[in-house]
Amino acid sequence: MNRVRNTKLILWLISGFAAAIALNRFIFGLGVTTNLNDRTPWGLWIGFDVMGGVALAAGGFVITAIFYIMKREEFHPLVKPAVLTAFLGYVAVVFSLLIDLGLPWNIWHMIIYWNPHSPLFEVGWCVMLYTTVLFLEFSPVPLENFSRYARIRNFLMKYRFVFVLLGIMLSTLHQSSLGSLFLIMPFKLYPLWYTSILPIEFFISAIALGLMMITFESLLSHWIYRRKPETDIIAKLCRAVVWVLLTYFLVKMIDIIVEDKFAMIFNGSWQSFLFITELLISTIIPAILFAVPKFSRNSKVQWTGSIMVIVGVVLNRIDIGGLAMLGATGDSYTPMWTEIFISLGIISVAALVFLFAIEHFNVWDIQPKEPDALPHTLPSFDYSSKTWLGNPDVSSLTTHSLAFVVSFAVGMFLIPGSRLHSKGIENVKVNPASGFDTLFINGNRDDRFVKFPHQAHIAWLKDHNVSLSISYGNNELSINSIDSCQACHHLSLPLEKQSNCWQCHSSMYTKTNFFNHDWHAAKSGANLRCKDCHTPAETRSLRSAKKCTTCHPSYKFAAEVKNGKEKFYALSYTDAMHDLCVSCHAAESKKLKDKPNLARCTTCHKTYPEGSNGLPESLAAGLKWKINPPKFNNVILPEEKLVK
Amino acid sequence: MSKGILTDVTKCIGCLQCVSACKEVHHLEADEPRIWQKNDGLSAENWTSIITKPGNRFIRKQCRHCLEPACASVCPVGALHKTKIGAVVYDSSKCLGCRYCMMACPFGIPRYDWDKIVPHVEKCILCYDKIKDGEQPACTQACPQKATIFGERSELLKIAHQRIKENPGKYINKVWGEHEAGGTSVLYLSDIDLGFLSYPTNIGNKPLPDKTKTAMESVPFAFVGMGGVMLGLNWIIRRRMEFAKDENKKKDSADE
C-alpha cells in the first residue's frame, strides 16, 4: 500500500468535492448552501475553521518561542514543519473567512476603516500581520532551492529573531482576542463558558494545543512517509504540556468557583455534560496520561494524548463559537453537510500544500520523496509491446487530477437543486378559506386573515364596469368580461363553474405545476390516449402536445403558458391573490379620492382582537347574517418557548 | 438631542399600519417565510413587526437603538454607528459581512439578506433620513392609535412615568428600555412582561460594550508586555548559556 499516494488521493477527492460546494456558495449565496440563520449567524465555519483553525496553528509561535527564545536546540527538527503548518493554517483560516463572509471582496476594508473597539478588528489585523510574519519566517526554506534569491534569503535570516519575536507578540494578542470576541455576549453564551477571563483561557489553551499540534503533525507526517517518529523530542513536549494543561485547569476551576458556578457543572443539563466532556478530553485525561514518565515516551500514548487535546480544545472553540449558545437562542442549528465538506476541503488543500512543501523543500532534515514523483525511474516506452506509455511526469499526476475532477462533478450533482433555486422560501401548503359569502382567507394560518366579501365584490364589479388587467408573471392578462365569474375565476376545473383559488395555486409562496398529466391519461380520469394530445410520430413532450385551450376553450392563461413556452405552472397563492386583488385595488384607489388606503397591505391583512368580529360597520350592514371570524389555535410564536 | 420612540403596548390594536408604512418608506419587498427566518416577524424585508401575545396584546418589535449599541462597538469596520440624533445607522458600503453585529445584539434585531449574492445587514434605522430633517419616522406617523410616538428620549421617559403615575394598576411599573443594556432609545410601556423582547438572561443594566473594554484596553500592554517578557527570557537564557560555556572552558583548562 502506498500511504503517500492514497492519502493524497483522499485529500484530492475531498478538495474537489469542496470546490464544487464553494462554487455553489458563491453563485447562490449563503442562505441556501448552509444552515446558517438569523438566530445562528455564525456556524461551523467560524466555530471550527476560524476559531479552531487559529488555535490549531498555535504550534508556530509555541515552537519558535521554545527554539529561538528559550534556545532549546534539541527541538530544531520540529521548527520548520511547525512554522509551515502554522503558515498554512493561517492561510486556511483566511480562506474559510472568505467563504464565510457575506461580502468577502470587502475584507480589505479592515485596513482603511478602523474601529479599535472591536475585538474582531484586532483579530483581523493580527491575523493579517501574523500571516505575513509567518510567510517571512518560512520563506528562507523554499528560497534555499533558488540560489538566485540568496540575497533576500540572507536578509530574512538576519532578521529572523525580529520576526519570531513579532510573531509571538501578535499571537499573544489574537489568540486571546478570539476569546474577547464573546465577552459581549453574556446573554447568549452558557455561564459555564462565559467568563471575563475568556481571553486568558484562550491563550493558555492555545499554548497547550500548539504543543500537541506539533506532536500530532510530526507523528502523522512520519507515519505517512514511513519514517521513525522523533519520539524523544516529542516526549519532552508531552511533559511540557502537562504544566500548561494544569495551569489551564486551575485557572478555569478557580474562575468557576469564584463566580459561584461550580454547582452548574453537575446540574444535568446538556450543556453541563458538554462541559464535562470537553474538560475531560482537552485537559484532565491527557494531563494524567502525560504526567506518567513511562507513558509520555510511548508513541501510542503520544498519539492518543495529542489527538485528545486537539479534539478537546477545538471542541472548546466550537462550544464558545456557537454550540453553547443554542440554549439561549432556542435554535437547533446543525451544520449542513455542505458546511462540513467545505471545512474538510480547506483542511485537505492545506494538507496537500504541506505534503508538497516537505517533498520539494528542505523542511525536514532528510527530504522525503513520493515514490511516484521520480519520473526518471519510470519507463515511458514499453519495448516488448512497442507502446508509448505517456510522459511519466504527467501520468503520475493524472490519478490525482482525475480524482479532483470526478469528485467536483459528484459534488455538483449532489447539491440539491431544489434548495439552491428555492431562495429559501418554504413550501407552505395553502389552507382553503373558511366562511360563507364572506371568506376568511388565511392561507398560511398566521392569523392575519383577509376578509373577502364575495357578493360585495360582484356587486361592485357589475356597477362600475371595471376592466381588469392583471400582471401575470411577465405578461398581462386582460379580462374584460367583467360581469362573468371568469373575471376572477379564470380557470375552472372540468365540471366546475368556479374552482377555488387554492386548488391550483396550492402552494403559498412557490410556483406549482397544476397540470395533472396522470389524471388526463388515467381511465378513471379524462381517459385520453397519448395521440389525443401529442402529435403522433413526435417526441411526446410539452412542445408536441395540444394547447390546453384546444379542449378547454374557456380557460384564460397568461400568454407564456398559452404559447407553450412555459410549463403549466400556477403562481404562488400570495402572488396570484396579490396580482388579482392589488392590481384592481391600486387602480381603483387612484380613482376614488375618498379611499387612499385601498391598496395598502393593512387594509386587507388584519389582526383582530379576540371577540370582535372585526368587520367595518359599512360592510357589516350589507351582510345578511352575523359573522364570527374563525378561531385558529395553531398559531404559535416561537418566543413562547423562551418566555415560559 | 437624542430622539426616541415610546410604544405603549396597551394602546396597540395590531393593525400593522406601522409595518406597512415602514415597507413603503424603505422600499422593502413582500415578506415570504424563509428557512432562515426565526418567526418573530422580523426579516430582511420586515424591519418592524407585530408580535401577538395572548390576551389581545400586540407588541411592536423593532431595533432598540441602544444608547451604547453593542452592534456598533463590535463592527470591525464601523459600518454601524450611533448618530447624534439617536438612530443606529448602517453603511452598507463599508460592511464586509462578518455578521458579528447579529451575534452581539442583545435584542436579536439585525437580519441578513441570506438569499442574496451581495448580502447586507438589514435593520430599522429609525428613518434616519426623515428624522434628521425634523420629520418623524414612518411608523409613528402611520400609527392611528398614537400607541407608538416619537420625540426626545428624555421627554418620552417623562411621558411614560407620568402615564404610569396617572393610571395606577394599568401598567407594570417599569419603562422597558430605560436601563436595559445601558438604556435604549426605543422605550416600551406595558401591562405584560416584555422580557421576551431580549435574550432572557444577563442583559443587565450596564452597556454591553463595557464588557470588552477592559480586554481591549489591555491589548497594547499585552503586546508590549509579551515582547518584554520574551526578550528578558532570551537574555537570561543566553547569559546562562555563556556562563555554562565559560565554566566548561575553565573545567577543560583545569583538566588539562
Side-chain angles (χ1 to χ4, degrees), chain A residues 170-449:
Chain A
L170 288 168
S171 293
T172 317
L173 287 201
H174 68 260
Q175 291 289 359
S176 56
S177 285
L178 274 178
S180 311
L181 283 185
F182 297 90
L183 287 179
I184 205 156
M185 304 169 206
F187 46 88
K188 268 190 187 173
L189 192 57
Y190 197 74
L192 275 176
W193 283 274
Y194 184 85
T195 149
S196 47
I197 58 157
L198 260 183
I200 298 167
E201 286 183 3
F202 263 58
F203 181 62
I204 303 172
S205 55
I207 295 175
L209 182 56
L211 288 168
M212 286 298 94
M213 199 53 200
I214 303 166
T215 308
F216 178 70
E217 171 257 296
S218 166
L219 287 169
L220 184 66
S221 45
H222 282 79
W223 177 81
I224 292 175
Y225 287 102
R226 295 180 189 277
R227 296 267 186 108
K228 203 170 161 284
E230 294 136 333
T231 318
D232 297 333
I233 318 174
I234 288 170
K236 285 182 183 167
L237 292 178
C238 293
R239 277 196 296 278
V241 87
V242 176
W243 296 105
V244 184
L245 288 176
L246 205 63
T247 323
Y248 177 63
F249 182 75
L250 285 178
V251 167
K252 205 162 186 160
M253 277 302 126
I254 290 169
D255 177 69
I256 279 179
I257 291 164
V258 167
E259 296 207 3
D260 204 17
K261 291 173 188 162
F262 192 74
M264 267 183 144
I265 303 177
F266 304 104
N267 70 0
S269 62
W270 64 267
Q271 287 100 334
S272 68
F273 282 117
L274 187 63
F275 186 80
I276 294 170
T277 321
E278 183 203 301
L279 208 59
L280 278 176
I281 301 177
S282 69
T283 317
I284 300 172
I285 299 178
I288 292 170
L289 276 181
F290 289 143
V292 184
K294 198 175 131 197
F295 279 180
S296 66
R297 276 190 295 275
N298 183 334
S299 81
K300 269 181 193 159
V301 178
Q302 289 171 350
W303 272 102
T304 339
S306 61
I307 290 176
M308 282 184 107
V309 174
I310 290 168
V311 172
V313 178
V314 170
L315 180 65
N316 171 264
R317 300 301 193 262
I318 292 175
D319 288 344
I320 293 171
L323 195 54
M325 292 184 188
L326 294 182
T329 53
D331 194 29
S332 57
Y333 167 83
T334 36
M336 200 173 153
W337 60 270
T338 48
E339 292 175 63
I340 296 169
F341 269 99
I342 291 258
S343 300
L344 291 178
I346 287 170
I347 298 173
S348 305
V349 175
L352 280 171
V353 180
F354 181 83
L355 296 182
F356 175 85
I358 55 173
E359 277 168 19
H360 290 81
F361 310 125
N362 283 327
V363 180
W364 284 352
D365 296 343
I366 307 154
Q367 201 168 324
K369 279 275 179 240
E370 187 192 338
D372 287 0
L374 301 166
H376 55 277
T377 61
L378 295 169
S380 61
F381 190 77
D382 184 15
Y383 289 100
S384 56
S385 62
K386 292 181 180 168
T387 35
W388 172 245
L389 296 172
N391 186 346
D393 221 348
V394 177
S395 63
S396 66
L397 296 173
T398 34
T399 333
H400 294 153
S401 1
L402 191 67
F404 182 85
V405 173
V406 166
S407 74
F408 184 89
V410 172
M412 289 302 265
F413 174 75
L414 281 182
I415 296 175
S418 58
R419 177 159 169 144
L420 289 182
H421 291 285
S422 69
K423 293 212 145 226
I425 299 168
E426 285 174 278
N427 191 5
V428 178
K429 222 174 169 307
V430 176
N431 289 299
S434 48
F436 297 96
D437 180 67
T438 297
L439 289 171
F440 290 92
I441 303 170
N442 188 13
N444 57 348
R445 292 283 187 267
D446 70 343
D447 215 11
R448 290 197 178 123
F449 47 86

Side-chain angles (χ1 to χ4, degrees), chain A residues 72-110:
Chain A
R72 300 294 292 266
E73 308 283 343
E74 69 268 32
F75 291 101
H76 182 257
L78 298 179
V79 176
K80 284 192 236 167
V83 172
L84 176 62
T85 320
F87 174 62
L88 293 176
Y90 275 89
V91 174
V93 165
V94 172
F95 271 95
S96 345
L97 256 182
L98 287 178
I99 290 176
D100 181 77
L101 288 181
L103 307 161
W105 45 88
N106 282 352
I107 195 167
W108 58 275
H109 277 187
M110 252 192 262

Side-chain angles (χ1 to χ4, degrees), chain A residues 5-49:
Chain A
R5 195 173 52 201
N6 288 348
T7 315
K8 282 186 182 173
L9 187 68
I10 294 166
L11 295 175
W12 275 107
L13 279 172
I14 299 173
S15 34
F17 202 76
I21 300 166
L23 184 68
N24 277 295
R25 175 256 172 272
F26 283 108
I27 296 175
F28 294 99
L30 280 167
V32 286
T33 45
T34 64
N35 272 350
L36 296 174
N37 60 56
D38 284 332
R39 274 194 197 166
T40 311
W42 282 2
L44 183 78
W45 292 341
I46 297 288
F48 174 71
D49 295 32

